Amino acid sequence: MTPQQPGSKASRRHFLGLVGLGTAAIAGGPLLAGCSEKPAGSGAAQNLDAYANLLPTQKDLAQSIKPDIIGTRPVPDGYTKYPTSLVDAITERPGTSGKEITAMTPAWGPAPPGVAQNAYLQAVNAELGTPVNFTIQDGNTYADKLNAMLGARDVPELLCVPGWEVQKIPRFSEAIKVLFEDLTDYLKGDAANAYPMLASFPTGAWRNSLWNERLMAVPNPTDGPFPWALFTRKDLLDARGLAVPASLDDLLTVAKQVTDPAKKVWAFDNVFEMIQMYHKVPASKQGWRLKADGTPEFKYETPEYRQALEVMAKIYKDGLVHPEIVASKGADNVQLFAKNGAIVFSRNGVGFWQGAQAEHQKVNPKLNIQPVPVFSATGGDPLVWGDDEPISFTFVKKGLGKERVEELLRIMNWCSAPLGSQEAQLRDYGVAGKHHTSTPNGPVKTDLAFKEIANQYFFISGRNPTIGPYPETPNYVPDLLNYSNAMVKFLEKDPWDGVKLEMPAAYKANQVPTEDKFTDLLRGRRPLSDVDAIVQEWKANGGEEARELLAKSLPKAGR
């Protein structure tokens, strides 16, 4: 099921710069002082391909369903028709102990009710045989909670860590070694046959679950390579006789035409990631690329980034951004965009699209959310940010014992059941007659489903990537695949693909404070002339250390 979240790593992902995180998210204090014999915070790099023997043997599931639309890899295939008959993918309840499982997952938007007031959780838990008790945290401030939890060494049995948060947690690999179970012997090679849903995951997703030369997490494979897209309310453009913009000049012209404070309508939320993309600012490993001489260069140092800064600063100055977005990191841009039409162009993760369309078209049948194809503001082909790294990782608390770890893996295996199974329908759509109504085209969610289902089980598992089907939004899969197959040819090439990087602690700790400085600059609280000073501070506070690590990592990986 496509998660309604800012997507997979936004810089990576919202997919977040990332979305709405304060400086507390990466406090500079010691995260796990004394937990490692190695010097803390120096950073490290490993060639993931060197540990292929530790990965599960990939095996496709026998009951796979033929797709209706083929995706150009890494874009998954699409399904427009719901299976006419469902199979029981798992015949025995995975939970055997009956002992409650603690888990923490993110959610964006209103938090769903807890298990005592949630018929969806009760129904899935009954099928599992062992109940899962979720602690749901605000996805916009998830890093705050993760840092506090890891620092206190107090973790649940199952912990979801979104991929885009990993890059912001100082000394994360040390935390993993101390707090989480080594899953290598449970899953490597044919051992994964005990968990056939997990064994069906792409090998590349498992490769990214290696830390400290061991398999340390279960990946949630991405269902699309794009962290961000610019979405528009095409129904509002059509009503005004305006075309979807095909260039930056078009976009800014239309933005001025639709902005009308008297009617409480503005063109944008915070679209800075898109403005950077239009100017071909690099995004690999959160903003790095190689110069012609082979040395690493960060986005802050590039002329493309400065051009994007100037354009975005003018967008703010011209009053084209909704004032609630300007005033608050916590403003609900989905409601302002999809429900209220108070924003006409919204930067969001692709994962938000279908859920927002399905929920809000009930009140507004004319609603038509569409992505704006990426264009270049500087000529030539566009540059599209993206990768095929997992959406998130599920870690298992260390020291639970072999029987409990195997039970937790069986739970995750159940939660990873594919399209066409009874298990997947319950996970994605809840109880028939309560959370969805059955139609000839498949289940359609009720209002209760939107209240109670927040991808809880999706975020402690994963799924072999597929898109759709969604009978309540029949155009969604074709629209998404058309967009994705057109954009995938412009994906940025990552020079460090296949290299696991643990960035220096000082560099990680300085990420959000530096982004906050640029936010002040964009919103007119600092002059644009401060760019050089900010970049010099960034270099001195971890930037140069990160550059050295990146430069050395390529020869170590045999490149």
Side-chain angles (χ1 to χ4, degrees):
M1 180 178 184
T2 304
Q4 296 176 38
Q5 50 114 359
S8 252
K9 244 178 281 243
S11 307
R12 172 124 142 150
R13 275 178 192 210
H14 310 261
F15 209 14
L16 251 310
L18 300 186
V19 171
L21 294 168
T23 55
I26 307 181
L31 175 63
L32 290 164
C35 291
S36 173
E37 296 178 1
K38 293 182 179 180
S42 58
Q46 60 177 320
N47 177 10
L48 297 179
D49 292 331
Y51 307 101
N53 62 311
L54 303 182
L55 305 181
T57 300
Q58 199 277 335
K59 292 185 178 180
D60 293 331
L61 296 169
Q63 67 267 37
S64 59
I65 304 167
K66 184 178 179 180
D68 299 297
I69 305 175
I70 303 298
T72 302
R73 299 294 181 263
V75 175
D77 297 333
Y79 298 79
T80 60
K81 299 181 290 294
Y82 201 78
T84 55
S85 61
L86 302 179
V87 301
D88 287 314
I90 299 169
T91 56
E92 296 181 0
R93 282 187 169 86
T96 53
S97 70
K99 179 185 175 184
E100 182 179 87
I101 298 167
T102 57
M104 189 176 96
T105 59
W108 287 264
V115 65
Q117 296 81 36
N118 192 314
Y120 165 71
L121 295 180
Q122 293 167 14
V124 178
N125 282 343
E127 287 297 311
L128 293 176
T130 295
V132 183
N133 186 4
F134 290 92
T135 297
I136 305 296
Q137 297 293 331
D138 182 355
N140 292 322
T141 55
Y142 203 69
D144 297 16
K145 183 64 177 179
L146 285 173
N147 273 278
M149 178 177 284
L150 297 178
R153 308 188 192 186
D154 182 16
V155 297
E157 291 177 288
L158 296 177
L159 178 64
C160 170
V161 179
W164 56 91
E165 305 292 16
V166 169
Q167 305 302 324
K168 304 197 301 291
I169 302 174
R171 295 179 292 281
F172 185 61
S173 62
E174 296 178 38
I176 290 174
K177 187 182 299 184
V178 172
L179 299 174
F180 300 115
E181 191 71 28
D182 181 347
L183 301 178
T184 308
D185 292 337
Y186 294 93
L187 294 168
K188 71 177 180 180
D190 290 338
N193 291 345
Y195 316 101
M197 313 306 161
L198 303 184
S200 74
F201 290 179
T203 297
W206 284 110
R207 184 182 70 166
N208 281 287
S209 298
L210 291 163
W211 275 273
N212 305 313
E213 303 177 7
R214 302 294 288 174
L215 191 62
M216 298 300 298
V218 173
N220 188 339
T222 183
D223 55 359
F226 310 113
W228 301 104
L230 182 70
F231 290 93
T232 187
R233 283 287 303 273
K234 190 170 185 300
D235 54 304
L236 298 181
L237 294 184
D238 290 346
R240 295 279 301 270
L242 298 172
V244 173
S247 69
L248 182 59
D249 287 342
D250 287 350
L251 179 63
L252 297 178
T253 298
V254 172
K256 292 174 181 177
Q257 291 175 295
V258 299
T259 298
D260 189 344
K263 294 182 178 179
K264 298 184 177 180
V265 176
W266 285 263
F268 300 123
D269 55 16
N270 180 18
V271 294
F272 187 40
E273 286 81 7
M274 300 309 303
I275 299 300
Q276 292 179 65
M277 207 182 301
Y278 300 151
H279 286 86
K280 304 184 186 181
V281 173
S284 295
K285 298 298 181 281
Q286 296 188 292
W288 290 91
R289 70 183 179 192
L290 292 177
K291 295 193 293 186
D293 63 1
T295 59
E297 176 182 47
F298 194 62
K299 65 179 182 179
Y300 299 157
E301 305 168 287
T302 67
E304 293 92 337
Y305 186 76
R306 296 186 185 225
Q307 291 171 351
L309 280 173
E310 292 174 3
V311 171
M312 192 69 212
K314 190 170 190 307
I315 286 173
Y316 276 108
K317 185 177 180 181
D318 290 347
L320 302 178
V321 178
H322 194 289
E324 289 187 25
I325 303 295
V326 176
S328 169
K329 289 182 177 180
D332 192 338
N333 63 329
V334 174
Q335 294 291 311
L336 292 169
F337 173 72
K339 181 180 180 181
N340 302 337
I343 293 171
V344 180
F345 295 96
S346 175
R347 178 277 284 129
N348 215 316
V350 176
F352 116 98
W353 181 6
Q354 191 277 333
Q357 177 71 38
E359 180 175 4
H360 298 295
Q361 71 183 9
K362 294 180 178 181
V363 177
N364 177 13
K366 294 183 180 179
L367 178 69
N368 186 7
I369 298 172
Q370 291 291 327
V372 178
V374 179
F375 45 75
S376 168
T378 57
D381 289 337
L383 177 75
V384 176
W385 293 356
D387 59 47
D388 60 352
E389 294 182 24
I391 295 170
S392 59
F393 302 91
T394 301
F395 293 90
V396 175
K397 184 177 181 179
K398 193 170 188 176
L400 299 176
K402 183 174 184 290
E403 289 187 6
R404 185 62 162 178
V405 172
E406 289 175 345
E407 182 179 33
L408 295 177
L409 288 171
R410 291 195 302 270
I411 295 291
M412 285 188 268
N413 183 66
W414 188 100
C415 294
S416 301
L419 175 68
S421 66
Q422 297 280 4
E423 295 83 358
Q425 178 164 295
L426 179 60
R427 179 198 64 214
D428 293 349
Y429 292 99
V431 179
K434 186 174 292 186
H435 298 101
H436 70 264
T437 56
S438 298
T439 75
N441 296 320
V444 176
K445 286 184 178 179
T446 64
D447 290 339
L448 182 64
F450 286 110
K451 178 182 178 182
E452 293 189 346
I453 301 175
N455 300 315
Q456 295 97 319
Y457 298 94
F458 174 89
F459 273 119
I460 58 166
S461 60
R463 192 177 76 170
N464 201 25
T466 57
I467 298 174
Y470 297 99
E472 67 272 39
T473 54
N475 295 326
Y476 168 74
V477 172
D479 286 349
L480 174 58
L481 265 295
N482 287 338
Y483 171 84
S484 299
N485 283 341
M487 294 296 102
V488 73
K489 68 185 75 169
F490 303 119
L491 274 181
E492 179 183 23
K493 300 295 187 290
D494 182 357
W496 294 274
D497 181 45
V499 179
K500 172 82 79 176
L501 292 164
E502 174 76 12
M503 300 300 280
Y507 172 82
K508 285 189 175 186
N510 195 38
Q511 277 185 284
V512 171
T514 303
E515 288 291 317
D516 286 346
K517 293 173 186 176
F518 282 113
T519 296
D520 288 341
L521 185 151
L522 289 172
R523 300 186 184 188
R525 297 190 287 262
R526 294 182 67 161
L528 283 170
S529 58
D530 279 2
V531 171
D532 288 338
I534 295 172
V535 173
Q536 289 304 314
E537 292 169 2
W538 168 84
K539 288 181 178 180
N541 291 291
E544 291 295 352
E545 191 178 1
R547 192 194 320 279
E548 182 179 357
L549 173 66
L550 286 161
K552 291 179 178 179
S553 69
L554 293 179
K556 287 182 180 179
R559 303 183 190 186

